[in-house]
């Protein structure tokens, strides 16, 4: 599931960079695969709890899978939202610098997801905490995009639609970072048995 989410996000960034509307449409269609996989993991987790009554460490593993898969599915939803935005975005040369910022942001978010999946597989709490630290940089870039789009909008109100769409992409990427951090928190829970807030 994590691999599918990373692949979808990577295609999102390619679609955004190249203005590939066909690819954006494929991303939207492929979201159902993520939804089906999340549903499968949810059903299997509930089945294990009901039939095997796991305790302590085993129960934590099942809960972690249940919660992490839900967060990954939400990431998939945000990726789909970005693809929908790409399909309706007006082209504008005024946003080239902001476009570069968003691509940097997107690649950092992708790195976050990859790292948190490694942390999950390896049950590595250090990597999980590193993911939380990376989220601060994502928030910083989102805030910069907000300021830059507002400046462009103030200078030329005709750019209102494009400014809104660029900022919406940044907002979705920021939320993806939050969900990746949520998964990191569940990795820490898997190891400690305590719910940790990494904010």
């Amino acid at each position: 599931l994590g691999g599918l989410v990373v692949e979808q996000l990577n295609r999102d960034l390619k679609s955004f960079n190249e203005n590939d509307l066909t690819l954006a449409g494929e991303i939207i269609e492929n979201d159902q695969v993520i939804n089906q996989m999340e549903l499968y993991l949810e059903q299997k987790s509930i089945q294990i709890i009901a039939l095997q009554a796991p305790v302590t460490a085993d129960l934590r593993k099942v809960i972690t899978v249940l919660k992490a898969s839900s967060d990954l599915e939400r990431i998939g939803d945000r990726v789909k939202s970005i693809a929908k935005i790409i399909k309706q975005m007006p082209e504008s040369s005024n946003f080239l610098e902001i476009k570069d910022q968003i691509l940097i942001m997107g690649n950092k978010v992708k790195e976050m997801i990859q790292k948190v999946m490694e942390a999950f597989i390896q049950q590595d709490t250090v990597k999980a905490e590193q993911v939380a630290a990376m989220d601060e940089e994502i928030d910083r870039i989102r805030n910069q995009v907000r300021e830059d789009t507002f400046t462009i909008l103030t200078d030329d109100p005709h750019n209102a639609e494009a400014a809104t769409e660029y900022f919406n992409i940044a907002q979705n990427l920021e939320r993806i970072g939050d969900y990746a951090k949520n998964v990191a928190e569940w990795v820490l829970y898997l190891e400690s048995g305590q719910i940790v807030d990494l904010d």
Side-chain angles (χ1 to χ4, degrees):
L1 179 57
L4 283 173
V5 166
V6 169
E7 182 183 346
Q8 282 276 86
L9 178 57
N10 201 44
R11 297 176 78 196
D12 240 356
L13 297 175
K14 178 176 169 57
S15 174
F16 173 68
N17 188 40
E18 300 176 3
N19 194 34
D20 188 335
L21 305 187
T22 301
L23 182 56
E26 292 173 2
I27 293 164
I28 294 167
E29 290 178 8
N30 289 344
D31 181 62
Q32 62 181 333
V33 178
I34 290 174
N35 294 340
Q36 290 167 356
M37 185 169 287
E38 190 267 339
L39 181 60
Y40 170 80
L41 288 169
E42 180 183 279
Q43 291 171 340
K44 292 298 288 185
S45 298
I46 292 170
Q47 186 180 62
I48 289 171
I49 292 171
L51 299 180
Q52 299 184 26
V55 295
T56 58
D58 287 338
L59 180 59
R60 288 206 304 270
K61 285 180 183 176
V62 176
I63 291 172
T64 299
V65 168
L66 191 61
K67 294 292 188 175
S69 62
S70 176
D71 283 318
L72 289 170
E73 190 275 332
R74 290 187 179 113
I75 290 175
D77 287 343
R78 292 287 175 167
V79 169
K80 181 174 72 171
S81 294
I82 291 171
K84 287 181 175 179
I85 293 169
I86 292 168
K87 288 199 73 171
Q88 64 188 26
M89 278 184 77
E91 289 194 56
S92 174
S93 60
N94 294 324
F95 293 89
L96 293 180
E97 186 175 333
I98 292 173
K99 183 175 184 177
D100 288 341
Q101 289 178 324
I102 289 174
L103 288 170
I104 291 169
M105 186 182 185
N107 281 306
K108 286 183 180 294
V109 168
K110 184 174 68 173
E111 185 184 344
M112 279 182 75
I113 301 169
Q114 290 169 328
K115 186 178 282 287
V116 82
M117 293 312 301
E118 289 173 8
F120 175 77
I121 292 165
Q122 299 164 6
Q123 297 184 24
D124 187 330
T125 57
V126 174
K127 280 186 178 177
E129 289 171 351
Q130 289 171 350
V131 168
M134 293 170 72
D135 191 52
E136 295 178 10
E137 177 66 5
I138 300 303
D139 291 344
R140 186 197 66 76
I141 299 174
R142 188 278 313 270
N143 292 339
Q144 186 63 54
V145 169
R146 178 174 56 197
E147 289 178 18
D148 292 348
T149 51
F150 183 75
T151 298
I152 292 173
L153 182 57
T154 303
D155 292 342
D156 185 0
H158 291 99
N159 284 306
E161 184 180 356
T164 300
E165 301 298 15
Y166 274 92
F167 181 62
N168 283 340
I169 290 176
Q171 280 283 82
N172 276 288
L173 288 171
E174 189 271 336
R175 290 298 295 139
I176 290 172
D178 287 343
Y179 290 130
K181 186 169 66 174
N182 288 352
V183 176
E185 291 174 351
W186 288 112
V187 172
L188 294 177
Y189 165 78
L190 176 60
E191 287 301 293
S192 69
Q194 296 180 341
I195 296 176
V196 179
D197 188 350
L198 290 174
D199 284 330

